[in-house]
Amino acid sequence: MKKDVFTYIIGGKAGQGTKKAGIAAANFFTDLKREVFQMNDYPSLIRGGHNFSAVSTSTSKIYSHYMKADLVVALDQRSYDIHKGHVSKNGLMVYNSDKSKGVDVGIPISSEAKKYENSDLIEGVSGISVLIAMVGFDKKKLDEIIKKEYGRNVEDNLKFAHAIFDIATEKIKNKVALNQGDKKFVLLSGSEAIGLGAAAAGLDIYFAYPMTPSTPVLHFFAGNGKKLGVVSVQPENEIAVANMAIGASFTGARSMVGTSGGGFCLMQEAFSLAGMVEAPVLFYVGQRPGPSTGVPTYTEQGELLFSLNPGQGEFPRIVASPGNIEEAFYLTAELLNLVWRFQTPAILLSEKHLGESSMSVTLHPHKAKWAEPVLHKGGQYKRYRYTKDGISPLLFPPSDMLIKWNSYEHDELGLTTEEADLVAKMHDKRLRKQKSLVNHLKKMHTVNIFGEAEPLIFTFGSTTMSVLEALGYGDLNMTVVQPIYLKPFPVWELEIFKGKSAIVVEQNSTGQLASLLREKAGIVAGASILKYDGRPFNPIDLANRIKKVVKVEC
């Protein structure tokens, strides 16, 4: 069983600062050179409801939060009721005695907060005071955190933090000592990693209409675009988003789009347009539970099969999904490079769990691939020149030569045609590009394989993190196979797994990855472990389900 894991949960209403307290705790653990995974859970409400942040930390690699906590801070009665079952055997529940009745340690958080302006907003600070008191640090460390994380009204925050710290220090008897780690990491959210990866590959402009869980990438570029050289644009709707990105790529701008399932539905015609005009545009699709509006602030992997065939007609599509936040950085850069190399749209498929969670990472920006197109080098320019690999060199305005992108079927110059032989020739050109893309992917790393023992676990996307953590927790010796690329599907790397004992773990109700494996690679899993309640896997529960399935089914 994995040791040295410390988990902190803070719960309360929207507007009480639980997410901020979770971030502050995660940064505190990072300063101790410990590895961290932080997850935020919240309904689609601006105020009220039940929000919580779960932060797990260890001196060794950690891929997931845990829902058995060493310390729970409950700011209201609902949080107490929900999380009292999440306190570990030797853990501690600290609750707001002004709003809750319970056992363990009650602290009058609201009474202390009312001495200051915006008393509801300041209550989240109490979670940090309690944490620092429990792990045995002093007020000097608490002051460092408050000044760093709560700069607005810092004097009030400091006074309030001190008052709660004094009460907590007196009441908390079972303190926990945290070991320091030996390596300093960077704490990044999945959305930050995606943004940085795109910028490292030369992204010029990011288009998005706000839609959870892709919105944090838009916020990232809005706040950091000047430093990174990336313009962020929020048009009037998703249709405009996709079409503006195609238009920007016509001028030579490296363009990217961000959305979620509902928004991507609206982009279908534009996605097909990108296939026809051969526009190099990267689409980021953050999955949440559907259909329609679904459960907008939670997570799922229900759009795998949808993402493989967007848009009408036949043209090359690329779909890839990162298995963790570090991989999100490199894969985003890699996909931006591929869309420019092959002049066709690609989808970076992810989930709320990856996009809005944070974890410790080590990044090497120089390893991110810079997007490099094939450029016209002289002679008459033909936008859709027939080439052996199906890739026609690009030329951008201003130019004296004709540069014509056409949504209608076209000839090499881009002029509209309905002549049978030209229609077939242009189809053949796109098919050659598809073959070139597959041949190129065969030289790349398209599947992650962790371990060597059977049985196998197939998974994809952020569920990979949950599976790896579950195996570590449960001392399970198995091999995890994570296809990074989902279209073209890397059957050449999966051939060796045919006929082997396998299970599939994914977050949808119909087993979409299992279907893909069976259809494309001839791999038939003995069992599937599915979860589709909008919440990510808890590694303890997942480890138990894997043990049960392996024993019974494989």
Side-chain angles (χ1 to χ4, degrees), residues 335-386:
L335 284 175
L336 196 62
N337 177 54
L338 286 178
V339 298
W340 278 91
R341 186 183 184 106
F342 291 94
Q343 298 173 40
T344 200
I347 298 169
L348 176 73
L349 184 66
S350 191
E351 313 86 4
K352 182 266 181 183
H353 184 50
L354 185 140
E356 296 193 5
S357 296
S358 298
M359 70 180 291
S360 307
V361 300
T362 301
L363 297 182
H364 301 284
H366 64 279
K367 292 183 179 178
K369 295 186 177 181
W370 188 265
E372 292 286 1
V374 178
L375 297 174
H376 176 64
K377 293 182 179 177
Q380 183 188 10
Y381 181 65
K382 295 181 178 179
R383 167 65 186 105
Y384 301 107
R385 182 183 296 278
Y386 301 133

Side-chain angles (χ1 to χ4, degrees), residues 9 11 50 52 67 72 79-87 93:
I9 293 176
H50 173 64
F52 73 91
M67 287 305 296
V72 174
S79 298
Y80 180 90
D81 294 338
I82 290 174
H83 295 297
K84 61 184 178 183
H86 294 149
V87 181
M93 166 71 82

